[in-house]
Each structure stands twice: as C-alpha cells, then as structure tokens.
Amino acid sequence: MDESLLNGAFQELHSAQRVLVISHIRPDGDAVGSLLGLGLSLQALNKEVQFVLSDGIPVIFRHLPGSDQVRKQANGNFDKIVVVDCSDLKRTGDALTNQPVPDINLDHHPTNTEFAKYNLVDVKAVATAEILAEYLPKFGFPVSSQVANALLFGMITDTLGFRTFNMTPKALELAAKLMEAGGNLPGLYQRGLLNKTFKAARYWGAGLSNLEREGRIIWASLTLEDRRIVKYPGRDDADLINFLSTIEDTDIVIMFVEQGNGIVKVSWRSQPAYDVSLVAMHYDGGGHSAAAGASIKGDLKDIQANVIAQTKTMLGMM
Ligand code: 5GP
Ligand code: MN
C-alpha cells in the first residue's frame, strides 16, 4: 500500500480525539474483530471511541473484549470516521445517516469502491484485521492482549483457520505476533469456527435437506420458515456455506437465505479457477474471488433460477 497514504491516515488518527469506528451489516468475524481491535487501541490512547454496527453485535461475538460497547447508530460529531472491512458505503446500513463522508476506508476487498478520503485497501491482506495487525504497532498504536484477541479472531475467521487459498507467510507471521501479544489462538479458533449452537445445527439440517447439484455447482436455501421453526436468531446461514464448500467434486457453492422484506441474501464460494465476485457484482454485491455475496430483491425460487443460470453463464460453466 502507498506509504504516504498510510502515514497520512494514521497521523490524522493520532491527532483525532473523537473517533467513530464502523463496519458492515450482517457483520462477520473480520468486521467485528477489526472494529473492536482498532477501537480498543484508540481507547488505550485515551480517545473517545464510538463502535457502530447497524445490525448490532451478534450473540456469537459477545465473548470478544469491547463487544458490549457496540451500538447500532452513530450519535454526535466526530473528528474522524473510520470504516473497516466494508467494500462500499451501502454496506454500513443506515448507521451513518447525518454523518459526513468517512475519512478512512480500511479494507481488503478487491471490489472496494474507494468511498473515503483515505482509501487504504490491501487486496493481498487475508483479512482487514491483518492490515491493522501490521500497521497499528508500526504507527505507535498499542496492541494490548484485548486488541490482539480481536484482530486474531478476524484473521482466523476470514481465513477459515488459515486454510483459504489467499493465505500468505506474512499473514502467519502477523498472527504469530498477535499470539505473542496475548492472542489465544486455540480458544478463538474454537469459538469462531467450531462451536455451534443446537439451533444452528437444526438450521443446518433445514439447509442440508434441500441441497441440490448440477454438474460441479451445488446450492441450498434457508427460508424464513426454516429459521422460525428452529428459532435460529440470526439472518445469516450459520456458516453452512463453509461446510458445503468441503463437499467433493464441487467448484461453486451458492447459498440463498431469505431475509424478509422480499430480500434474499446470496453467497457464493468457489475453487481458485473461478472468480465469483464478478457474478456478485452483477447483482450489485461484491467480495473476493473465492467468496462473494449480494442482496437481491424478489422471490426466492425466481432468484435461485436466475442466479444459477447467471453464475453458469458468467463463469463459462454451460
Ligand atoms: P458472505 O456471502 O459470507 O456474506 O460474504 C462473502 C464475502 O462477500 C465477504 O467478503 C463479504 O464482505 C462480501 N459480501 C457479501 N455480501 C455483500 C454485498 O451485498 N455487497 C458487497 N459489496 N460485498 C458483499
Ligand atoms: Mn474481511
């Protein structure tokens, strides 16, 4: 990344007193880990920090230090607004209403739309938390054991335990430094990737029971009714897609999750030969080559048929 841009952004953060840190709707481990890691480091420098997620903090992340400080709406005036792990401004939800254009956009998505004054986008970073793990200490921001745990959680979850194809030696080295600073790798791995609630397991059952295949594409859906029956509290797929990605002889996995309000959340996962972010962008979404998503308005069955056909066409799988 451009050194002068980095310098400028981090110097501005040093001189700020009131900072708003925000990330994306349906937050994942990297969104939450980056938000908390940066915010707690700023608090250690006696800055006033507001932590904002427009969907609030999901129950599964409430073990992380600082998670009790997360609110749903930004309130007040800030010297600096920092958006983390968010490829476009729409993904912040409605939490930034009445706030000016963000100052710093810190992200690792190739589909980032560069919406801030300082756009610090490193597409080689395996997680936004990796960028923070590298630059917080370099620019004199403290990495306490709480900060280390938050950032390590972001790295572990976005790489599915350091096993995604974008993994690098640098990411492992930075993760090792976070462990040295007090990051509890086995504990975070267990909580972030292995533990499942009983409700989530039953919700998986609903998705698995309608799993379909056509050639090397497989897909499954989760309806509002599935969620209601098992009382699953989230609007996500409970990470079912990452399990489906382990099924043999499969290049593309697609997951459809009904959201209410006529919206269906679509997620894609792919083997390295296919860039599913192209398909997600066709539907006004985004993400990475191997993992992408979009929110599409319409009926679940229509969207399923349309997305499967579009995925095959765009990726040359006809
Ligand atoms: P997931 O499908 O698991 O929610 O997300 C996979 C990847 O795609 C993540 O990097 C996530 O940030 C990105 N992503 C998911 N949904 C959207 C979306 O609606 N818009 C954009 N720009 N990116 C998305
Ligand atoms: Mn991320």
Side-chain angles (χ1 to χ4, degrees):
M1 255 194 301
D2 187 300
E3 284 291 322
S4 66
L5 209 61
L6 276 166
N7 250 309
F10 280 96
Q11 289 321 319
E12 287 206 14
L13 261 188
H14 261 302
S15 51
Q17 181 50 33
R18 287 165 308 168
V19 183
L20 166 63
V21 189
I22 181 165
S23 189
H24 60 79
I25 52 171
R26 283 188 299 270
D28 58 13
D30 191 26
V32 175
S34 299
L35 178 93
L36 298 177
L38 174 59
L40 291 170
S41 180
L42 294 169
Q43 278 182 335
L45 293 171
N46 293 320
K47 298 181 190 302
E48 283 170 46
V49 180
Q50 226 172 74
F51 299 78
V52 175
L53 292 170
S54 93
D55 285 338
I57 183 98
V59 180
I60 51 167
F61 301 135
R62 293 201 185 145
H63 61 94
L64 289 170
S67 57
D68 54 331
Q69 298 190 60
V70 174
R71 50 197 292 162
K72 291 187 174 177
Q73 186 74 40
N75 188 14
N77 298 312
F78 304 94
D79 302 326
K80 290 285 166 261
I81 298 178
V82 188
V83 184
V84 294
D85 196 44
C86 208
S87 57
D88 63 63
L89 212 43
K90 273 194 322 238
R91 298 259 295 151
T92 56
D94 53 11
L96 281 183
T97 318
N98 302 327
Q99 294 293 339
V101 173
D103 300 278
I104 301 173
N105 159 20
L106 196 82
D107 188 28
H108 70 133
H109 291 98
T111 58
N112 191 286
T113 58
E114 312 222 319
F115 51 81
K117 187 169 148 200
Y118 288 99
N119 297 296
L120 308 178
V121 183
D122 181 357
V123 300
K124 290 207 186 73
V126 297
T128 300
E130 178 191 332
I131 307 174
L132 287 165
E134 180 174 9
Y135 292 109
L136 286 179
K138 268 191 191 161
F139 286 105
F141 292 84
V143 178
S144 63
S145 74
Q146 292 197 332
V147 172
N149 275 292
L151 297 179
L152 189 55
F153 188 74
M155 291 188 69
I156 291 171
T157 52
D158 247 27
T159 59
L160 306 177
F162 307 117
R163 68 176 173 83
T164 48
F165 286 102
N166 57 352
M167 267 307 293
T168 60
K170 180 180 173 186
L172 278 179
E173 280 166 20
L174 287 165
K177 291 219 169 71
L178 293 174
M179 281 184 84
E180 282 167 5
N184 173 7
L185 181 115
L188 295 168
Y189 191 111
Q190 182 75 35
R191 286 200 186 245
L193 297 171
L194 303 178
N195 288 3
K196 291 270 168 297
T197 61
F198 182 71
K199 289 172 184 170
R202 292 189 68 213
Y203 190 50
W204 274 35
L208 286 169
S209 68
N210 67 64
L211 181 64
E212 292 187 68
R213 170 190 291 283
E214 218 179 283
R216 297 180 70 85
I217 304 185
I218 63 172
W219 66 90
S221 60
L222 288 161
T223 63
L224 290 172
E225 182 68 358
D226 294 330
R227 200 203 301 174
R228 194 187 57 76
I229 290 170
V230 303
K231 299 190 173 68
Y232 182 71
R235 287 197 290 150
D236 52 274
D237 69 346
D239 283 337
L240 175 57
I241 196 163
N242 294 326
F243 171 67
L244 298 181
S245 305
T246 64
I247 293 174
E248 285 183 348
D249 302 320
T250 299
D251 287 331
I252 308 279
V253 185
I254 315 176
M255 190 77 230
F256 300 87
V257 185
E258 252 184 354
Q259 301 288 297
N261 309 326
I263 301 278
V264 175
K265 169 68 206 293
V266 183
S267 296
W268 290 261
R269 298 292 184 272
S270 65
Q271 292 300 313
Y274 298 95
D275 181 352
V276 284
S277 73
L278 301 173
V279 194
M281 278 195 288
H282 171 83
Y283 292 102
D284 204 25
H288 306 276
S289 169
S295 291
I296 308 178
K297 207 166 176 58
D299 167 74
L300 177 66
K301 286 286 165 210
D302 296 344
I303 290 172
Q304 239 182 27
N306 186 286
V307 164
I308 291 161
Q310 190 65 34
T311 303
K312 284 196 217 158
T313 308
M314 289 190 76
L315 302 181
M317 302 181 84
M318 301 304 273

